[in-house]
Amino acid sequence: MAGELQTEGLSNALVILGAAGIVIPAFARARVNPIVGFLLVGVLVGPFALGSLATELPWLRWVTISSVEEISPLGEYGIILLLFTIGLELSFRRLWKMRRTVFVLGPAELFGSAVIVALGLSMLGYGWPSAVGLGLALALSSTALVVPIAGTQSAVGRRALGMLLFEDVAIVPIIFLLGALAPQAAHGSLDGLLTVLWQGAAMVALMLVLGRFLLPFLFGQAARTKSPELFLAISLLVVIIASLATSAVGLSPIFGALIAGLLIAETDYRHEVEVIIAPFKGLALGVFLITIGMQIDLNFIAENWTMLAAAIAGVLLVKATVTGSLLKLSGTRTGTAVETGVLMASPSETTLIVLAAAGAAQLLSPDVINFWQVATAIGLTITPILARVGHDMSKRIELRESEPPPDVASAHSDRAIIVGFGRVGLLIADMLTKHDQPYVAVEANIDAVTSARRRGYNVMFGDVSRPEVLERLDIGNAKALILTMDEPVLAARIVKRIRPLFPNLTIISRARDADHAAELYRAGVTDAVPETLESSLQLSEAVLVDLGIPMGFVIASIHDKRDEFRRLIKDQGGLDEAPRLKTATSAKS
């Protein structure tokens, strides 16, 4: 019995499950995208790293995978489940609203990128059939990575998803086109494509009709049993049948999974299905990413790193430029267009499928296919990095395109300076504006600055931990300095730096608690407001009043507690007198 368990399949399953169990929590704690973790694990345990030592060290067979082909089908299942969950987040009404992105921008982005890449490759000596095949393969973008990173609700996610949906549909015609370009191709390839198209359209129509009537009945029966297992079984059954149905007529099984998700999204059971299928989605995506990592040959990269770097950079530049330009021409904001273009610049997991089809059609030699497979795997690996770069570029562009930073030197001499523009800073700015008090705010978070400027707030970008930023604020002419950031050490440091230079300046700071307030008073702050104290007192007041305690007794006890904290802050801060700790309640009394 023990011998029967020592199979390659069981070993591979243990490696994959172990990697998922380690990578997801470890990288979540480190606040690193798990996508990177799965890719790195794939490289480590794959046939080009530790897997290559399994013949010499037999125990490594239990912690490595020596053959990518054995688990590649699992990666394909992961993509199918991913497209199914994407379909669950959509609806036919929402898909119809995206028709311009899907059927106008999608083709323009795919074929525009393919033509430019093909032209570049032809200039490097590739024949036209080979250049066209590679151009179409490299123009594809990764649905499996882009959608989890960008989501489907954000501006970037919606536009990326629309173009990716067209790419998923276009895979089958692309493969037929490669067959037509093959040296030994017969003239019947066009007839085969037309056959697939009409049969595919008929199958999709049949799925729409049957799904609309059968799915509510099936899930309704499952709901009556109150069995999550039955819900899961029916969901997987629907995905399998839809994928097999589209595969039977020559379409991609990915497309069938997407249709299945769309059909379930139109029922009342979509949210229950989303919850049940979510764990499988994460695991399946992890398996797919591990298979991608396993295809990265570190030795090959070391020997050809200059050519690989140039090839990847060229593809990224072309795709980012084409996608961003098309979105900009369609009226998209510059920042969103740039971020979407950079995010979709890397090749796709389906690039590997198209490369294999080009090889089968004898359009590409094995050496060329191997080179571009490694380039594709590296491109997929750096997709999370591209997402971060694109996001930062987007925010800086939007920051530059929004209202220009205020001219501090010519600002009002009696203005207030708000340092930090989160929720607290925003509320203070609203109150100052309501009472016609001029202000200028400074914030180090580009996202917060961009959002605030769009809403009409007078905010400039700057990191107050740098002395030169404080000098630009012209604090000497300010009426008050208000510190709202939730960084106790930085707040105290700023007060210590500013107070000796401007002894008469009013400095008001947010304090985390009584200890922090005492430290700020020692540093020279005019007023410090402990957030935990005031929020706790207000909650206590609400509770006591709701419990029926007379308002007079409640206010008196609140005053007593506040006086207790005033004395505590006085003692801890070494103050001559207790701080005021003014509030609206105390002002009324």
Side-chain angles (χ1 to χ4, degrees):
M1 183 67 180
E4 295 177 3
L5 291 176
Q6 295 177 2
T7 62
E8 200 70 26
L10 177 60
S11 175
N12 292 341
L14 290 175
V15 172
I16 293 169
L17 293 175
I22 295 173
V23 168
I24 294 178
F27 278 73
R29 174 167 294 191
R31 296 184 178 179
V32 176
N33 194 322
I35 290 174
V36 178
F38 282 119
L39 289 167
L40 293 178
V41 168
V43 174
L44 181 64
V45 304
F48 299 111
L50 293 179
S52 62
L53 304 176
T55 54
E56 301 175 7
L57 302 173
W59 63 269
L60 281 176
R61 294 177 181 175
W62 291 99
V63 293
T64 62
I65 297 176
S66 57
S67 176
V68 180
E69 289 75 13
E70 294 180 2
I71 65 167
S72 291
L74 295 178
E76 296 173 6
Y77 300 153
I79 300 175
I80 289 174
L81 277 179
L82 176 65
L83 265 293
F84 173 62
T85 56
I86 291 173
L88 287 175
E89 297 176 7
L90 297 173
S91 64
F92 286 106
R93 182 178 302 174
R94 186 180 171 198
L95 195 60
W96 178 249
K97 290 181 180 178
M98 296 169 58
R99 63 189 182 277
R100 183 166 176 264
T101 304
V102 177
F103 299 110
V104 178
L105 290 179
E109 179 269 333
L110 175 61
F111 298 118
S113 299
V115 168
I116 295 176
V117 172
L119 287 172
L121 292 172
S122 66
M123 295 173 63
L124 295 175
Y126 284 80
W128 272 110
S130 300
V132 170
L134 274 175
L136 289 170
L138 297 171
L140 297 167
S141 300
S142 176
T143 303
L145 294 184
V146 170
V147 174
I149 290 174
T152 60
Q153 304 298 326
S154 65
V156 173
R158 291 194 300 271
R159 287 160 177 81
L161 177 61
M163 291 182 282
L164 289 168
L165 287 176
F166 176 81
E167 291 184 4
D168 292 332
V169 175
I171 292 174
V172 172
I174 287 174
I175 293 176
F176 268 90
L177 176 61
L178 296 179
L181 293 174
Q184 75 284 6
H187 295 291
S189 295
L190 181 60
D191 295 336
L193 176 59
L194 294 176
T195 301
V196 169
L197 290 179
W198 79 259
Q199 289 182 351
M203 179 59 70
V204 170
L206 180 63
M207 290 168 60
L208 295 178
V209 173
L210 293 178
R212 190 168 188 85
F213 293 100
L214 289 180
L215 289 182
F217 172 77
L218 290 175
F219 283 108
Q221 296 300 317
R224 292 184 180 91
T225 65
K226 299 182 179 179
S227 172
E229 293 81 3
L230 187 56
F231 251 101
L232 175 61
I234 293 177
S235 302
L236 295 177
L237 180 64
V238 170
V239 176
I240 292 171
I241 291 177
S243 300
L244 290 176
T246 53
S247 297
V249 295
L251 293 177
S252 170
I254 295 175
F255 187 64
L258 177 67
I259 295 296
L262 285 168
L263 289 171
I264 295 177
E266 296 295 325
T267 69
D268 295 330
Y269 309 100
R270 58 175 297 184
H271 299 295
E272 182 70 17
V273 174
E274 284 179 342
V275 172
I276 292 175
I277 210 74
F280 295 90
K281 170 190 172 184
L283 181 60
L285 179 60
V287 174
F288 161 71
L289 294 171
I290 289 175
T291 61
I292 295 298
M294 289 179 182
Q295 299 178 52
I296 299 178
D297 187 345
L298 299 180
N299 292 327
F300 183 84
I301 293 174
E303 295 171 359
N304 302 274
W305 69 270
T306 53
M307 294 179 61
L308 286 168
I312 295 170
V315 172
L316 296 181
L317 180 61
V318 169
K319 294 179 65 178
T321 303
V322 170
T323 305
S325 300
L326 288 172
L327 288 172
K328 181 62 179 175
L329 290 174
S330 69
T332 305
R333 296 178 64 93
T334 305
T336 301
V338 169
E339 184 175 355
T340 308
V342 174
L343 178 60
M344 293 186 61
S346 62
S348 169
E349 61 280 354
T350 51
T351 298
L352 303 173
I353 299 174
V354 178
L355 286 174
Q362 299 181 11
L363 296 175
L364 300 173
S365 66
D367 291 339
V368 172
I369 292 176
N370 180 61
F371 177 87
W372 286 106
Q373 282 177 338
V374 174
T376 299
I378 296 174
L380 287 167
T381 304
I382 64 174
T383 301
I385 301 174
L386 294 176
R388 182 72 260 175
V389 171
H391 180 74
D392 291 343
M393 291 175 62
S394 169
K395 295 309 174 186
R396 292 186 182 278
I397 291 171
E398 292 182 359
L399 181 66
R400 191 165 59 246
E401 288 187 346
S402 61
E403 290 296 322
D407 187 355
V408 178
S410 62
H412 297 278
S413 60
D414 60 345
R415 76 202 186 291
I417 298 174
I418 304 173
V419 179
F421 210 72
R423 291 172 296 178
V424 177
L426 189 147
L427 180 58
I428 292 173
D430 285 339
M431 297 303 295
L432 290 172
T433 301
K434 183 175 183 178
H435 294 279
D436 298 322
Q437 296 296 311
Y439 73 90
V440 60
V442 58
E443 169 60 50
N445 186 309
I446 294 180
D447 294 349
V449 174
T450 304
S451 175
R453 283 190 186 169
R454 286 179 183 171
R455 299 163 63 183
Y457 290 97
N458 196 23
V459 188
M460 63 176 287
F461 173 73
D463 184 359
V464 292
S465 63
R466 299 164 54 192
E468 58 268 25
V469 174
L470 289 175
E471 293 175 3
R472 285 183 57 204
L473 292 173
D474 194 20
I475 296 177
N477 292 321
K479 190 173 183 179
L481 177 66
I482 308 165
L483 306 177
T484 71
M485 63 281 195
D486 186 21
E487 299 181 56
V489 176
L490 180 59
R493 187 188 308 157
I494 291 176
V495 176
K496 291 176 182 177
R497 185 188 307 162
I498 296 299
R499 177 53 73 202
L501 300 175
F502 308 102
N504 297 322
L505 175 66
T506 298
I507 304 177
I508 303 170
S509 179
R510 169 187 180 184
R512 178 165 292 182
D513 50 28
D515 293 339
H516 185 214
E519 180 184 2
L520 290 170
Y521 278 113
R522 285 196 300 269
V525 77
T526 307
D527 284 306
V529 182
E531 57 187 29
T532 54
L533 167 63
E534 294 304 327
S535 60
S536 299
L537 291 178
Q538 290 182 39
L539 285 171
S540 301
E541 179 179 343
V543 169
L544 292 171
V545 170
D546 289 342
L547 291 176
I549 308 299
M551 178 62 75
F553 292 139
V554 172
I555 292 177
S557 63
I558 295 294
H559 281 317
D560 290 341
K561 180 58 69 173
R562 186 175 284 111
D563 288 339
E564 180 181 331
F565 273 96
R566 291 174 65 240
R567 290 191 296 271
L568 177 62
I569 295 174
K570 174 186 175 183
D571 295 338
Q572 292 182 347
L575 307 177
D576 295 332
E577 58 182 25
R580 289 172 289 176
L581 298 180
K582 287 184 178 179
T583 64
T585 305
S586 60
K588 291 178 182 178
S589 59

